[in-house]
Amino acid sequence: MIVGLIVACEVGFWVLLAAGLAVRYLLKLRRTSAALLLGEPLLEVVLFVVTAIDLKNGAEPSWEHGLAALYIGFTVAYGHYTIRWLDGHAAHRLAGAPPPPKPPKHGMPRAAHEGRLWLRTALATAVTLALLQGAIWYVGDGTGTAPLKSWQATSLRIASIHAVIALTYLLFPKKGPKGAKGAAKDATEGRTAIKR
């Protein structure tokens, strides 16, 4: 049941996002669009409540409950970022806005960009760990909570792997194109990415 709900929430996320952007840029109804996009967090609330009710009704903690916590953590950390990114592309394609800036490709601007993405992953991990720990306390810290503890370890591994990847951009920065033109382009990309 929980896996089906996670799939429904993911599908709902993209349906609401597509509907919100279409209403904003094709029908020019900004308030309706905002209402649709504000429905996004409600999906995570529904998932959280259903998972808590499932555990309260005596369901044995399982990998599905851990996956639900991971999904909620990811959505909290990356949901707004994803919406903003797609909004920039929709504005460009549907409303004639300038194309959204691309992430920097070289040097310290790229390292800073990767560091900010890792901070989002760290936030996702913190939310996941908190939800899983709350579930462990809720059902009692016994042997039945092993799947939840396993997901805690998994979320820490994800954050650690992402940290190593982000660190490689800092320690081994990719060199930009030679010449003043390439350096100016990298500096401009870096400033634009920092604003985001």
Side-chain angles (χ1 to χ4, degrees), residues 34-99:
L36 286 168
L37 294 175
L38 285 173
E40 302 276 4
L42 293 177
L43 295 173
E44 278 61 52
V45 172
V46 167
L47 180 59
F48 176 75
V49 168
V50 170
T51 303
I53 290 171
D54 192 43
L55 289 171
K56 183 179 180 184
N57 288 339
E60 190 74 22
S62 65
W63 67 271
E64 291 99 338
H65 299 105
L67 181 62
L70 186 70
Y71 177 81
I72 292 170
F74 178 83
T75 306
V76 166
Y78 281 94
H80 181 70
Y81 176 81
T82 303
I83 291 169
R84 194 174 65 225
W85 182 79
L86 286 171
D87 183 51
H89 284 279
H92 170 60
R93 296 210 179 255
L94 302 175

Side-chain angles (χ1 to χ4, degrees), residues 21-33 94-96:
L21 294 177
V23 166
R24 174 174 290 179
Y25 294 111
L26 297 178
L27 301 179
K28 311 290 188 211
L29 301 171
R30 291 191 71 80
R31 286 187 182 172
T32 305
S33 170
L94 302 175

Side-chain angles (χ1 to χ4, degrees), residues 131-170:
L131 290 173
L132 289 169
Q133 191 59 47
I136 289 168
W137 289 334
Y138 186 64
V139 299
D141 192 5
T143 56
T145 59
L148 302 179
K149 291 177 179 176
S150 173
W151 275 104
Q152 286 181 319
T154 298
S155 65
L156 287 171
R157 274 195 302 275
I158 291 169
S160 299
I161 291 168
H162 194 174
V164 169
I165 292 169
L167 196 57
T168 60
Y169 283 94
L170 180 65

